[in-house]
Amino acid sequence: MPRRRTSSSSSSSTAPSAAPATPRNRTPQPVRVRRRSFGDFVKAFLAFVVLLALVAGVPLALAMTVGWPLPNGAPGLDWLQREITVQTFLRILTVIVWLAWAQFTACVLVEVKAALSGVGVPGRVPGSGPSQLLARQLVAALLLVGATAASLTPGLSQLGQSLEGNQRPAVAAAQQTPGLFAQQQEQAANTANALAEQAGQAGQAAARADGGASVANGDTKYYRIQPPEGRHHDSLWEVADRHLGDGRRYKEIFELNKDRVQPDGSKLSEASLIRPGWIMEMPGDARGGELVEMPDEAPNVSEQVQQQISDYAQTGDHAQGSGGGQGSGDAQVSLPEQRPAPAPATPVTPATPAPGPATGGQHATPAAEESGRSFGLPETLLAAPLLAAGLLGALGRRRRQALWHSALGAVGGRRGMEPPTPTGDAQDVQDALLVGADPEGVRLLDRSLRGLAAALAAESRPLPVVYAAWMGGNGDLHLQLAQPAGKPPTPWQVGQDQTFWMLARADAERYEDAETAAPYPGLVSLGTMDDSRLLLNLEAVPGLVSLSGAEEDRAAVFASVAAELATNGWSDRMTITLVGFGADLTPLAPNRIRHLDGFEDLFETMSAETRQRRGALGAAGHDSVLTGRTGPAQHTRWAPHLVLLAAQPSDEDALRLAELAADAGRLGIGYLVGTEGTDLPGAAWEMEITGEGRLLAPLLGLELEAQLLPAAQQRAVVELFTDADPERGAGGPANTPPFLVDISEQGRPAVYARLVGSYEIIGLDAPDGDRSAQLHEALALLLLHREGVHPRVLASALWPRGVTEDVRDALLDRLRAWLGTDPDGTPRLGTDATGRLTLAKSVVSDLDVLRSLYYEATQGRGVDSRQVRGRLLTDALVLVRGPLLADRPEGRYRWLTHEIIDAQLPLLVADTGLALSEFHLERSRAEKAIEALNAALRTAPADERLYHELLRATHTTEDADRLRALAADLIGRSGARGLPPRTEALLDELLPTWRDGVAAAG
């Protein structure tokens, strides 16, 4: 049905000139019609036969075969004592069948009434979930080929969703769901199947009014929001595009009508949420036949509408007077209101970006092309603190895994003791991760979300559907809900309206770890807007999320989303299915990521997954995965499945995908699909990535600085993870340490730093007290990275919240002056060809000496000489005085959390002790071997291999009491976990009676 025109005293005029090219996003346009096929008519006929059999055939069969099942009169007490015969049993079953038939018939009547009326989703018949679902499918199949199909499609699109407890009819839901994605929730529910069957009607209904009136600028004009037709919903963008010639002028309409009382008593608070029947005051130059010009009378408008417009016109001055000071025309409708952050004592402009959302406002090509390679790092990773933190944490875990994997090999001559040092682009990317990562932000986000889930579970409240999260520049967290969910649990607060829950950073920092499943693991960063970072909950969007733009730009967005989902710190488990990705991202998370070749494989996989999840939810009695995550199976079920389809689907595949995603929101399945255009069927949220790195969603008022992972950085990240793979090159030779020391008398260093144990420096005067701690920390960082340290990495390590260039350079000057020069005049702190800071060979640490001694003993001179090997290993073990930097001040050296030296050092010490023990046992010196093992255990107390060798060495002493005492000590150390299986097996071999002692002690 075409739109109703309500023009009055407007005279016709020519249409405005063509508007400049703008991002297309749900503008009215013809949509391809899917013609009814022979199969559709077959389905309709079969549905008619089934309905006829169930509605009319069942009662007829019962009446003819069984008759009236109930007794003719009131039963007496003796009825209870009668024997239950087969006839009695059949009559009971007949009563049950009659009740089931009555319930199903009621469902059919409700569905037919809703379908023919075309008003939203039908009501829910109590206790008839499967029956109503079957009735809806049959009625839909029957009416979809008839003249009433268009009015039926809103109900069809909600198939599988209307049985949730919080679902409402389409119009009602739109009127009661404020928030960024409120209208999109209803749109997605009305698109997937609707487009698959009757998409063409929507395009014809969205025809624009080319003619219109030429009205003086001083006139006041109004527009009445039209009800939805098919898949099309009115929006401020389209109203501005039709009547102002430019959709981007929707902000003018928003500002004219913001916070003014509408006919239904509500107010316009967000441009993305408008409701049918609302009145919009228009700018004076608005044109078009759908406008109503006031105060002149409009004969084509009903008296009721005229009265509504008149009443609304009287609110204009009041609205402008009260709301003018709250925002400007640039107010972003989806951005949560920010509380003013406390001003710093001394304003500074950080040269090293502080980790967190504040760094997200930069989109640039690598800075090496502008300022030279010396300070060039990939800015895209510097501006992605959550992504960088996830990648850095996952990379550290992968490298530790490789170290522990190598510990299972033979002592010496194995790969993994020294991970390979990145070079080139991989080194630049690693430095960018170190500079840009915000692990504290990830930790607070994770604790906040889990704390919210735990608090709601304690109050027996379900998790609300969250469409997005905003991380403000001041550290506050805003959750944007699909609909109001009541008062949030303390310390959460209601935000700018009932669809925002807000948690202040100060309150988040007081949260402790909660033993609960991650409630919203599908959150992923898209970009920044006005100093706030947007995370979209992909698994909760009711339908598809489409992304248009150039293929290269789309690939950068997809890679960023995939990498963050695979490595983020606020989810437990998930499956990420990638289709159409050129580069394999599996090395980032082999347990999470899988690649599929094409759409047929995807459709087969996701169809089965969708059926399985629907069945599992029904069997468990859950409305959605959110209610399942708060139940007893929260840690093992309902993990999200996120599909990233980078390849452009064909028209037929797009329709199949839209149908598949119609019920995805409650199943925990999310879809992000790349398109060349903006007409993807079933898209609940449409985005466009521009060549300048802007992510646009005009109807939602979003214009973000996109978070990207371009192809070059993507390859470098994969290289980092591939080189850290513990299975790669297993059994190969050990890597040479990055820095070998001359351990002869001629190699005595000029500056010697003790890092293993308490920190001590020999060969330098003590620096000034005010700068001593920073200088010591900077030197320790350089000593642990002999390959070189980027100046920005050094600055971010010492000042995690950012620092100006002059402060950083001043510290480097002090460090150079403190270290001094070698006798030949060479500075001991230099810069290599890549601009990284390096130390001269005359500056040495005890860790360098320890590595060099072990390397010489196992792969150098000690290989051919037992005497040399024993002396070198003994000298190496003497250097071990405790853990790394044992007395470091609290609050400093936080960068060590990104290092793997805390895993490398215990392994190195344990290997040294094991090698020295083997050397002594070969000469039957058990006491010396025990002494070496005990020395290694002081630094590596968790290494099971040391205890095994200690048991063997003690056994060789033939002192049974000593062996029993050692076994008892091991049992006491194991606690409630008990001894490891290998240790138990070794004790069974060396001390068969050890279990008797355990039983006696118990």
Side-chain angles (χ1 to χ4, degrees):
M1 182 178 69
R3 289 189 182 275
R4 182 182 61 203
R5 297 181 178 272
T6 56
S7 59
S8 57
S9 58
S10 304
S11 59
S12 63
S13 66
T14 59
S17 59
T22 58
R24 297 172 57 208
N25 198 319
R26 287 206 181 280
T27 52
Q29 52 188 305
V31 184
R32 292 179 297 275
V33 180
R34 180 181 182 271
R35 299 183 179 277
R36 303 184 188 93
S37 63
F38 176 74
D40 294 331
F41 289 96
V42 172
K43 292 179 182 178
F45 174 75
L46 293 176
F48 172 76
V49 172
V50 173
L51 280 173
L52 184 64
L54 292 177
V55 176
V58 169
L60 182 62
L62 290 174
M64 295 178 62
T65 58
V66 181
W68 183 251
L70 298 178
N72 295 325
L77 294 178
D78 60 336
W79 180 78
L80 299 175
Q81 299 177 356
R82 294 180 184 175
E83 181 182 358
I84 298 178
T85 63
V86 174
Q87 188 66 22
T88 304
F89 184 71
L90 290 177
R91 288 181 177 274
I92 294 174
L93 289 180
T94 303
V95 171
I96 296 175
V97 174
W98 273 106
L99 292 176
W101 170 82
Q103 183 189 58
F104 178 77
T105 303
C107 293
V108 172
L109 294 176
V110 168
E111 295 296 329
V112 170
K113 178 180 180 299
L116 296 177
S117 64
V119 181
V121 179
R124 180 179 178 182
V125 179
S128 59
S131 298
Q132 190 165 5
L133 182 62
L134 176 61
R136 182 171 308 164
Q137 291 174 325
L138 294 175
V139 172
L142 177 62
L143 298 185
L144 199 58
V145 298
T148 58
S151 63
L152 176 66
T153 50
L156 278 177
S157 63
Q158 293 288 349
L159 186 59
Q161 297 184 21
S162 61
L163 302 181
E164 298 185 40
N166 61 355
Q167 293 295 324
R168 296 179 173 87
V171 176
Q175 293 176 347
Q176 300 178 26
T177 311
L180 170 61
F181 301 101
Q183 191 174 11
Q184 278 57 45
Q185 180 187 29
E186 186 237 344
Q187 286 178 347
N190 294 336
T191 52
N193 290 323
L195 280 175
E197 305 296 337
Q198 296 292 329
Q201 296 185 10
Q204 298 171 3
R208 299 184 181 182
D210 295 331
S214 178
V215 187
N217 291 337
D219 297 337
T220 304
K221 306 180 184 69
Y222 295 88
Y223 174 83
R224 190 166 184 264
I225 303 300
Q226 299 298 306
E229 297 181 3
R231 71 171 290 218
H232 177 77
H233 295 259
D234 224 344
S235 68
L236 292 188
W237 177 281
E238 295 180 1
V239 173
D241 192 36
R242 285 197 303 272
H243 300 295
L244 300 177
D246 187 350
R248 290 174 293 186
R249 294 184 62 186
Y250 76 93
K251 297 178 182 179
E252 300 178 30
I253 306 176
F254 172 72
E255 284 303 314
L256 284 173
N257 299 274
K258 180 181 178 183
D259 296 329
R260 295 172 66 176
V261 179
Q262 293 290 337
D264 61 0
S266 56
K267 298 180 181 180
L268 174 66
S269 61
E270 299 187 359
S272 60
L273 175 61
I274 57 175
R275 304 173 186 173
W278 278 10
I279 308 299
M280 293 289 116
E281 181 178 341
M282 301 291 289
D285 60 339
R287 306 176 180 219
E290 294 174 336
L291 299 177
V292 175
E293 189 173 339
M294 296 294 288
D296 297 342
E297 293 189 5
N300 295 330
V301 179
S302 66
E303 294 183 3
Q304 180 182 5
V305 174
Q306 290 184 38
Q307 184 62 43
Q308 290 177 353
I309 296 177
S310 299
D311 295 342
Y312 186 75
Q314 297 175 7
T315 67
D317 295 338
H318 171 73
Q320 295 174 4
S322 62
Q326 298 180 5
S328 64
D330 295 328
Q332 296 299 320
V333 299
S334 56
L335 194 64
E337 294 177 356
Q338 301 291 329
R339 299 182 305 175
T346 304
V348 294
T349 303
T352 300
T359 65
Q362 302 176 3
H363 172 75
T365 55
E369 298 176 7
E370 301 173 3
S371 58
R373 184 175 175 82
S374 61
F375 291 94
L377 292 178
E379 296 292 337
T380 53
L381 289 174
L382 295 177
L386 303 184
L387 170 62
L391 289 172
L392 197 59
L395 181 60
R397 291 190 295 272
R398 180 68 57 82
R399 288 173 172 172
R400 285 179 174 83
Q401 181 184 5
L403 287 174
W404 296 119
H405 182 81
S406 69
L408 301 177
V411 176
R414 68 170 189 272
R415 181 190 182 276
M417 176 59 71
E418 298 296 339
T421 301
T423 58
D425 289 341
Q427 187 178 22
D428 288 341
V429 163
Q430 178 175 272
D431 288 342
L433 295 178
L434 290 167
V435 175
D438 182 17
E440 181 67 10
V442 172
R443 185 183 68 86
L444 290 179
L445 176 62
D446 182 45
R447 285 189 174 185
S448 300
L449 296 177
R450 293 181 194 266
L452 174 64
L456 290 172
E459 299 177 5
S460 299
R461 296 172 58 186
L463 288 169
V465 177
V466 170
Y467 279 162
W470 289 92
M471 296 186 67
N474 56 4
D476 293 348
L477 175 63
H478 301 255
L479 296 184
Q480 196 153 5
L481 314 183
Q483 59 188 24
K487 181 181 179 181
T490 306
W492 291 78
Q493 307 171 28
V494 176
Q496 63 199 51
D497 58 42
Q498 294 296 321
T499 61
F500 277 94
W501 285 2
M502 189 272 290
L503 180 67
R505 182 184 179 93
D507 294 327
E509 290 173 345
R510 289 192 288 268
Y511 260 123
E512 297 181 355
D513 293 332
E515 291 296 329
T516 186
Y520 305 112
L523 287 170
V524 65
S525 304
L526 292 183
T528 56
M529 176 180 178
D530 292 353
D531 203 28
S532 291
R533 182 168 301 277
L534 171 66
L535 291 88
L536 175 67
N537 191 5
L538 278 181
E539 67 165 336
V541 176
L544 306 175
V545 179
S546 68
L547 176 68
S548 61
E551 183 177 1
E552 181 179 0
D553 298 324
R554 295 202 316 262
V557 175
F558 273 99
S560 171
V561 170
E564 185 170 296
L565 288 173
T567 61
N568 71 47
W570 54 87
S571 63
D572 298 322
R573 299 183 305 113
M574 69 171 61
T575 300
I576 307 167
T577 298
L578 308 181
V579 183
F581 277 72
D584 189 356
L585 296 174
T586 303
L588 272 59
N591 296 329
R592 286 191 176 187
I593 296 179
R594 65 177 178 182
H595 283 255
L596 296 180
D597 293 334
F599 184 82
E600 288 302 323
D601 293 340
L602 172 66
F603 188 76
E604 179 181 356
T605 300
M606 297 312 301
S607 296
E609 175 84 4
T610 300
R611 289 193 300 270
Q612 186 273 333
R613 291 204 173 209
R614 283 194 185 124
L617 281 176
H622 297 313
D623 293 332
S624 70
V625 295
L626 288 181
T627 55
R629 283 183 188 146
T630 57
Q634 56 180 320
H635 291 288
T636 57
R637 303 174 70 178
W638 319 124
H641 189 158
L642 304 175
V643 178
L644 307 183
L645 181 61
Q648 167 77 31
S650 65
D651 295 344
E652 181 180 356
D653 290 341
L655 292 174
R656 295 170 66 192
L657 190 63
E659 296 173 359
L660 188 63
D663 195 24
R666 74 183 188 97
L667 302 178
I669 302 176
Y671 294 88
L672 178 61
V673 184
T675 63
E676 296 177 357
T678 57
D679 56 351
L680 182 70
W685 204 42
E686 294 181 343
M687 304 182 298
E688 178 186 3
I689 179 66
T690 68
E692 294 76 28
R694 307 289 295 179
L695 193 65
L696 308 178
L699 290 183
L700 304 175
L702 289 181
E703 186 172 342
L704 307 172
E705 283 287 344
Q707 180 171 294
L708 306 172
L709 186 61
Q713 282 78 59
Q714 180 182 344
R715 288 191 297 268
V717 167
V718 172
E719 179 182 342
L720 287 173
F721 279 80
T722 302
D723 289 342
D725 187 356
E727 300 295 335
R728 186 170 182 262
N735 292 339
T736 302
F739 179 68
L740 289 175
V741 178
D742 183 0
I743 56 178
S744 65
E745 284 294 329
Q746 292 75 21
R748 184 177 298 275
V751 177
Y752 183 69
R754 292 179 175 177
L755 303 179
V756 184
S758 58
Y759 194 1
E760 182 182 356
I761 298 177
I762 301 172
L764 292 177
D765 296 331
D768 296 338
D770 294 341
R771 301 293 181 182
S772 177
Q774 284 185 330
L775 292 175
H776 278 76
E777 186 175 358
L779 180 57
L781 178 61
L782 292 167
L783 286 168
L784 292 177
H785 290 277
R786 303 303 303 229
E787 73 277 8
V789 177
H790 198 287
R792 298 181 73 173
V793 174
L794 179 65
S796 66
L798 300 180
W799 294 279
R801 296 187 177 183
V803 68
T804 56
E805 289 187 9
D806 56 341
V807 174
R808 179 194 65 195
D809 295 341
L811 178 75
L812 292 179
D813 291 340
R814 292 189 187 95
L815 184 59
R816 288 191 180 93
W818 181 43
L819 292 175
T821 60
D822 285 332
D824 61 357
T826 303
R828 291 173 182 154
L829 177 61
T831 304
D832 65 9
T834 65
R836 290 174 170 81
L837 304 168
T838 58
L839 293 174
K841 293 184 177 181
S842 60
V843 183
V844 173
S845 73
D846 55 355
L847 184 59
D848 297 327
V849 178
L850 176 60
R851 286 169 169 163
S852 300
L853 288 171
Y854 179 78
Y855 178 81
E856 285 292 333
T858 56
Q859 300 183 60
R861 291 177 296 162
V863 174
D864 300 324
S865 174
R866 288 174 46 84
Q867 183 178 2
V868 172
R869 182 167 73 254
R871 178 174 56 83
L872 293 174
L873 291 173
T874 301
D875 291 344
L877 206 55
V878 169
L879 293 175
V880 180
R881 301 176 298 120
L884 186 75
L885 298 169
D887 57 352
R888 58 181 179 265
E890 184 178 358
R892 304 202 69 90
Y893 297 87
R894 293 182 178 178
W895 47 269
L896 280 173
T897 58
H898 302 313
E899 307 283 345
I900 62 169
I901 185 62
D902 60 337
Q904 284 179 294
L905 180 59
L907 280 178
L908 178 59
V909 173
D911 285 348
T912 304
L914 291 169
L916 186 56
S917 172
E918 181 184 5
F919 171 80
H920 287 307
L921 289 176
E922 288 176 353
R923 296 195 173 187
S924 301
R925 297 189 293 214
E927 294 297 336
K928 290 286 187 181
I930 293 172
E931 181 182 351
L933 292 169
N934 283 325
L937 278 169
R938 286 192 286 271
T939 300
D943 199 310
E944 186 181 354
R945 300 172 301 157
L946 291 174
Y947 288 107
H948 292 173
E949 290 305 312
L950 186 58
L951 286 169
R952 294 189 180 97
T954 304
H955 181 261
T956 61
T957 64
E958 299 182 355
D959 188 342
D961 292 338
R962 188 175 181 180
L963 185 59
R964 277 193 292 270
L966 178 58
D969 181 61
L970 290 178
I971 294 170
R973 290 173 181 269
S974 63
R977 296 175 301 173
L979 293 174
R982 292 185 181 182
T983 305
E984 287 189 356
L986 183 59
L987 281 173
D988 287 336
E989 176 187 350
L990 303 179
L991 188 64
T993 61
W994 73 277
R995 296 182 186 274
D996 298 335
V998 174

